[in-house]
Amino acid sequence: RSGALADESSPCAMSLLRGAVGLARPSLLRPDGARFASLKSLKSRVTSVKSIQKITKAMKMVAASKLRGAQTRMEASRPFAYASPAEVKAVLEGPAAEEGAPAFAGKTFYVPISSDKGLCGGVNSSVVKAVKAMVQQVPEGSTQEFFIVGMKAREALSREFKEKVVASVDEIYTKPFTFAQASVLADEILKHDFDKLCLVYNKFTSVVKFEVTPITLGTPAVLSESDDLAVFEVDEDEGSTMYADLFEFELASRLYNCVLENSTSENASRMTAMDNASTNANDMINKLNIKYNRQRQAVITTELNEIISGAESL
């Protein structure tokens, strides 16, 4: 027996040991390395989750950096967007904004404002849902058209309202949005005929909260036909031109603020989403490490049992 044990490292002794183990416990006979396959897969999963966690942390830092600049520009645009006199604002929003007003049966021109990228929570889906709900509430006989700002809203609304999308604008967030770009958008919107204009965007409230807000405006003709603006001295010969320019300026100011509000909401929501993703990745890494350690301990215990069983059988 002592001689056999002293020579157990030889190939012949190892084959005898394997045969003895097979007779004692046939279930322990597995291909070489099979018991380590699950350990390798777990280790690979841990590595991949750690790589994803690095990406989410980097995206969180980038979103936080962009948020500071976007919030500063957004706060500076708010007084500029609502600087018009109360009389002009009341005429532009019209009776449709009042409670109990009759249903509008004309042509509505929707301008949903979204982002070009995802991974930012419900910023884009909330705008799309709000626009669809507004379209479903319009009475029969009315028509709708869409001028979409942002790639995500275009992709979502084009599936259902492809024939009603007259234009779309992408890649306006690659650089800080300016009033000159808002003026170009306003000029393109006014090239289309409509009876009511509706801007839908995300209004920034805090880093963890935003609200989907619609803004309803009339047409340039509403300003020239209203008697509420008689308090202002306007030359009759230049009245129509002046009111058209005033409406275009008001629309550009609103668009400028709406896009900046939506951009700030997007960066804040992306920062929050990436922070949650990093936290979830850390929890998953901890769970996988616990599972890996338990399975590794089980493999070691199984190997010790095999050695002991083999030695006893000899």
Side-chain angles (χ1 to χ4, degrees):
R1 179 182 178 89
S2 60
L5 291 176
D7 196 32
E8 66 182 15
S9 59
S10 64
C12 182
M14 291 302 295
S15 62
L16 290 174
L17 180 61
R18 287 179 179 274
V21 172
L23 293 174
R25 299 176 64 184
S27 61
L28 294 177
L29 283 178
R30 304 170 185 170
D32 292 339
R35 66 186 60 170
F36 301 104
S38 58
L39 289 178
K40 290 182 179 179
S41 63
L42 284 174
K43 194 171 183 179
S44 176
R45 286 188 62 188
V46 171
T47 304
S48 63
V49 174
K50 285 183 178 180
S51 300
I52 295 173
Q53 187 183 40
K54 291 180 181 179
I55 296 173
T56 56
K57 286 183 176 180
M59 292 182 67
K60 176 190 172 183
M61 295 177 63
V62 172
S65 177
K66 290 183 178 181
L67 175 61
R68 287 191 290 269
Q71 188 172 0
T72 301
R73 292 188 295 270
M74 178 268 298
E75 291 174 350
S77 70
R78 281 181 173 177
F80 181 70
Y82 299 97
S84 300
E87 295 83 0
V88 176
K89 183 179 179 181
V91 172
L92 283 174
E93 294 183 355
E98 300 177 358
E99 185 177 357
F104 182 78
K107 182 179 180 181
T108 305
F109 201 77
Y110 292 98
V111 184
I113 300 174
S114 69
S115 66
D116 293 330
K117 300 178 181 179
L119 299 177
C120 53
V123 169
N124 299 313
S125 60
S126 58
V127 170
V128 173
K129 290 179 181 178
V131 172
K132 289 182 178 180
M134 295 170 67
V135 172
Q136 292 177 355
Q137 294 176 359
V138 297
E140 296 183 0
S142 61
T143 58
Q144 304 87 31
E145 286 185 348
F146 297 88
F147 186 99
I148 303 175
V149 178
M151 185 182 300
K152 291 300 179 179
R154 183 195 65 189
E155 292 175 354
L157 294 173
S158 295
R159 301 188 189 103
E160 187 173 350
F161 307 104
K162 184 177 182 180
E163 298 178 354
K164 298 181 180 180
V165 177
V166 295
S168 63
V169 180
D170 301 334
E171 299 182 1
I172 63 172
Y173 301 100
T174 54
K175 295 181 180 180
F177 191 70
T178 63
F179 185 77
Q181 291 175 295
S183 300
V184 173
L185 289 179
D187 184 62
E188 291 296 324
I189 290 173
L190 292 176
K191 290 180 180 179
H192 302 274
D193 297 328
F194 54 85
D195 299 317
K196 184 176 71 171
L197 179 65
C198 185
L199 309 177
V200 185
Y201 69 104
N202 291 292
K203 185 175 183 179
F204 178 79
T205 304
S206 65
V207 177
V208 295
K209 183 180 179 182
F210 58 89
E211 297 178 356
V212 181
T213 306
I215 295 179
T216 303
L217 302 175
T219 60
V222 174
L223 293 175
S224 59
E225 296 173 358
S226 176
D227 297 332
D228 297 335
L229 302 181
V231 294
F232 302 102
E233 295 183 2
V234 179
D235 190 355
E236 295 182 358
D237 296 334
E238 299 180 356
S240 58
T241 304
M242 191 276 294
Y243 285 127
D245 293 340
L246 177 61
F247 183 86
E248 184 175 357
F249 175 77
E250 184 70 20
L251 177 58
S253 301
R254 299 290 184 93
L255 281 171
Y256 180 59
N257 175 252
C258 290
V259 172
L260 291 179
E261 293 269 3
N262 194 83
S263 177
T264 307
S265 301
E266 174 195 355
N267 288 310
S269 182
R270 179 173 289 112
M271 185 183 68
T272 303
M274 292 301 102
D275 182 58
N276 294 335
S278 300
T279 302
N280 294 337
N282 188 62
D283 295 340
M284 185 177 292
I285 290 171
N286 292 334
K287 292 179 180 179
L288 288 174
N289 282 331
I290 293 173
K291 188 175 181 180
Y292 175 83
N293 292 331
R294 287 177 178 175
Q295 194 158 346
R296 180 172 173 271
Q297 189 66 34
V299 170
I300 294 173
T301 305
T302 302
E303 290 182 349
L304 290 175
N305 291 333
E306 290 179 357
I307 295 173
I308 294 171
S309 301
E312 290 178 352
S313 63
L314 289 175

